[in-house]
Amino acid sequence: MSAFLDSLKWDNSGLVVAIAQHVDTGEVLMQAFSDRAAVSETLQTGRLATFYSRSRSGRWCKGETSGHYIKASARRAGCCMYMDCDRDSLVYLAEPIGPACHTNAPTCFFTQLDASGGEVRQAGDHHSREHAPMITLYALERTIAQRRAETEAGTNAGIKPSWTAKLLANPELLCKKVREEAAELCQTLEESEGKERAASEAADLIYHAMVLLNAQGVSLEDVSKVLRSRFGTSGVEEKASRPPNPQT
Amino acid sequence: MSAFLDSLKWDNSGLVVAIAQHVDTGEVLMQAFSDRAAVSETLQTGRLATFYSRSRSGRWCKGETSGHYIKASARRAGCCMYMDCDRDSLVYLAEPIGPACHTNAPTCFFTQLDASGGEVRQAGDHHSREHAPMITLYALERTIAQRRAETEAGTNAGIKPSWTAKLLANPELLCKKVREEAAELCQTLEESEGKERAASEAADLIYHAMVLLNAQGVSLEDVSKVLRSRFGTSGVEEKASRPPNPQT
Ligand SMILES: [Zn+2]
Ligand SMILES: [Zn+2]
Ligand SMILES: [Zn+2]
Ligand SMILES: [Zn+2]
Ligand SMILES: [Zn+2]
Ligand SMILES: [Zn+2]
Ligand SMILES: [Zn+2]
Ligand SMILES: [Zn+2]
Ligand SMILES: [Zn+2]
């Protein structure tokens, strides 16, 4: 451990950059700094992300005051910590317990910038993820949720309803589409339709399955957690393959 | 723009932390620093992620030498840049052109650490993503690819084949499972089976669909790119809903 700690490229204040990332959604939750003691503690306990507080000049176990810990050992096997090529930056792949930000926002990065440096966020509400950096799949989920909210609030009255709104209003159509898209995806393999077609049909299936999940109040993060809980040392797919009942 | 730049909390060297993240996979690609000019250039051009090189004390447009740019405007609408709560750290949500690391690794964070500070990575090969910080869905994809590689290399000979290996060896079974799991997911809505069951069936469907994609050499990143290309100012689902042909 000490040889490893010696090998890190500490800055003039004895710190390295530490980035906490959500293991399921991929959100960058917060960026802080870690000193030798914090890196050592996070690695050895493998439980809670610990940093160095520059404002208080001391150890800072995120969540110790608020209860909003960042669980570092988000996976059963292996550690959560990753180092960059020049040894001065760490990623903690982690599971946040509650909001990661002291403002109660899910991530500290709740402000999007426009081309002129304007700040884009919900006025007076930085608790939502509306302008947080979400990767494509989760951004799609957010868009689906927005369409639903617009429909429920009636703010789209008079406007031609979106396909998402139509699907949400018609569970029969929605289920029909999910079954159809699954069949079309299978067909790309059965009929050797090529990679492009396979990617396109998978996109169709994932989109429609996500609308179906939204209709039931289930998030992609929930699904991701199920997949993660099935992880084992022998690999996720062993568990994923075990059906809840023999007919599955 | 100037008011915004004034408002950032520059460190003693006039820098803020800049984190480049892959818009599709969520990988943290690299962490560097940006000065006032770099932030301004990245925002205004909205095209290529630019940083400040501390070693060369000057402007550093990532990729200008190697061709391995990081495309900052990964989405049609809105900017790629996000700021944290205390204004000293930025996330660039971006699309890398080629490897992000000067070592040719896809991400600079190719070294995983174990509890004793041991470095876990492929000996002599940091080009793979094998020990990079991948979020759950992409880690699952990586596991599926590993099972396939083991089967093809015969390193699992004599060992009971994994469910993934069985599926890959039997396209008929694989397609049957994808159709079945789609039907089971629909059933959770049709029969109001509850959130937990819906999340579990969605996990089943996604896992099996990912094996089917692997069988065709298609990655989740490919699928994500399709979904992203369908994004528009009016929201992704409008495009996602437009079938390639009327029967779809
Ligand atoms: Zn570095
Ligand atoms: Zn969460
Ligand atoms: Zn914060
Ligand atoms: Zn607030
Ligand atoms: Zn389709
Ligand atoms: Zn900060
Ligand atoms: Zn690097
Ligand atoms: Zn190499
Ligand atoms: Zn099932």
Side-chain angles (χ1 to χ4, degrees):
Chain A
M1 168 71 85
S2 138
F4 162 69
L5 292 171
D6 288 343
S7 79
L8 288 182
K9 215 171 83 193
W10 308 101
D11 72 7
N12 293 335
S13 314
L15 303 174
V16 291
V17 168
I19 300 159
Q21 181 180 24
H22 195 307
V23 68
D24 288 312
T25 68
E27 285 166 294
V28 178
L29 298 168
M30 55 177 291
Q31 179 265 310
F33 295 88
S34 289
D35 65 354
R36 198 178 163 104
V39 174
S40 170
E41 181 179 337
T42 307
L43 270 180
Q44 288 189 293
T45 68
R47 290 192 314 116
L48 300 173
T50 303
F51 307 96
Y52 178 86
S53 167
R54 293 187 298 177
S55 56
R56 289 177 320 221
S57 301
R59 175 184 173 280
W60 168 36
C61 176
K62 160 81 178 104
E64 226 162 43
T65 314
S66 63
H68 299 148
Y69 294 99
I70 292 185
K71 273 172 66 182
S73 62
R75 284 188 187 139
R76 283 194 214 147
C79 177
C80 60
M81 205 187 285
Y82 300 82
M83 177 178 66
D84 79 343
C85 55
D86 63 349
R87 314 181 76 86
D88 63 358
S89 193
L90 301 170
V91 166
Y92 296 179
L93 205 56
E95 184 177 352
I97 309 299
C101 182
H102 71 283
T103 65
N104 278 330
T107 157
C108 288
F109 293 85
F110 51 78
T111 306
Q112 191 176 6
L113 302 168
D114 67 24
S116 59
E119 297 174 25
V120 188
R121 58 172 185 244
Q122 284 295 88
D125 178 18
H126 44 271
H127 303 286
S128 83
R129 288 164 157 163
E130 194 161 346
H131 299 288
M134 306 297 281
I135 65 168
T136 303
L137 280 175
Y138 285 88
L140 170 58
E141 177 176 53
R142 180 167 60 184
T143 303
I144 293 169
Q146 281 165 351
R147 290 291 165 273
R148 187 200 182 122
E150 285 161 14
T151 306
E152 286 176 356
T155 50
N156 57 354
I159 302 168
K160 192 169 159 289
S162 67
W163 179 243
T164 303
K166 274 188 201 159
L167 291 170
L168 286 169
N170 187 344
E172 216 167 296
L173 172 64
L174 178 52
C175 289
K176 182 169 161 283
K177 285 300 298 177
V178 169
R179 286 187 175 91
E180 259 179 39
E181 296 301 343
E184 285 168 12
L185 176 60
C186 291
Q187 203 182 303
T188 62
L189 180 62
E190 290 159 345
E191 315 279 332
S192 304
E193 293 176 346
K195 290 184 184 199
E196 212 176 309
R197 191 104 190 103
S200 174
E201 291 302 342
D204 286 348
L205 176 58
I206 286 177
Y207 160 72
H208 285 91
M210 280 171 71
V211 177
L212 192 146
L213 289 172
N214 177 286
Q216 300 191 76
V218 175
S219 69
L220 192 54
E221 185 180 341
D222 297 332
V223 178
S224 176
K225 276 185 181 154
V226 171
L227 287 169
R228 187 155 52 85
S229 75
R230 293 176 186 173
F231 269 62
T233 41
S234 63
V236 57
E237 91 288 11
E238 308 299 338
K239 299 279 171 62
S241 70
R242 246 165 256 164
N245 61 60
Q247 301 96 289
T248 307
Chain B
M1 169 71 84
S2 136
F4 162 68
L5 292 171
D6 288 345
S7 79
L8 289 182
K9 215 172 83 194
W10 308 100
D11 71 8
N12 294 335
S13 315
L15 302 174
V16 292
V17 168
I19 300 160
Q21 182 180 23
H22 194 307
V23 67
D24 289 310
T25 67
E27 285 166 295
V28 178
L29 297 168
M30 55 178 291
Q31 179 266 310
F33 295 88
S34 289
D35 65 354
R36 197 178 165 103
V39 173
S40 170
E41 181 179 338
T42 306
L43 270 180
Q44 288 188 291
T45 69
R47 290 193 314 117
L48 300 173
T50 302
F51 307 96
Y52 178 86
S53 166
R54 294 189 297 178
S55 56
R56 289 179 318 223
S57 301
R59 175 184 173 280
W60 168 36
C61 175
K62 161 81 178 104
E64 225 160 43
T65 313
S66 63
H68 299 148
Y69 294 99
I70 292 186
K71 272 171 67 182
S73 61
R75 283 187 187 141
R76 282 194 215 150
C79 177
C80 60
M81 207 186 285
Y82 301 82
M83 178 178 65
D84 80 343
C85 55
D86 64 349
R87 314 179 76 85
D88 63 358
S89 193
L90 301 170
V91 167
Y92 297 179
L93 204 57
E95 184 177 352
I97 309 298
C101 182
H102 71 283
T103 65
N104 279 328
T107 157
C108 288
F109 293 86
F110 52 78
T111 306
Q112 191 176 7
L113 302 168
D114 67 23
S116 60
E119 298 174 25
V120 187
R121 59 173 184 242
Q122 284 297 88
D125 179 19
H126 45 272
H127 304 285
S128 85
R129 288 164 156 161
E130 195 161 345
H131 299 289
M134 305 297 281
I135 65 168
T136 303
L137 280 176
Y138 285 87
L140 170 57
E141 177 177 53
R142 182 166 59 184
T143 304
I144 292 170
Q146 281 164 352
R147 289 292 165 272
R148 185 200 184 122
E150 285 161 14
T151 306
E152 287 177 355
T155 51
N156 58 354
I159 302 168
K160 192 171 159 286
S162 68
W163 179 241
T164 302
K166 275 187 202 160
L167 291 170
L168 286 169
N170 188 344
E172 216 167 296
L173 171 66
L174 178 51
C175 289
K176 181 169 163 282
K177 285 300 298 177
V178 168
R179 286 187 175 91
E180 259 180 39
E181 295 301 343
E184 285 168 12
L185 176 60
C186 291
Q187 203 183 304
T188 62
L189 180 62
E190 290 160 345
E191 315 279 332
S192 304
E193 294 176 347
K195 290 185 186 199
E196 210 175 310
R197 191 103 190 102
S200 174
E201 291 302 343
D204 287 347
L205 176 58
I206 286 176
Y207 159 72
H208 285 92
M210 281 171 71
V211 177
L212 192 145
L213 288 172
N214 175 287
Q216 300 190 76
V218 174
S219 68
L220 192 54
E221 184 181 342
D222 296 333
V223 178
S224 176
K225 277 185 179 152
V226 171
L227 287 167
R228 185 155 54 83
S229 75
R230 292 177 187 172
F231 269 63
T233 42
S234 63
V236 58
E237 90 289 9
E238 309 299 338
K239 300 278 171 65
S241 68
R242 247 164 256 165
N245 61 62
Q247 301 93 292
T248 308

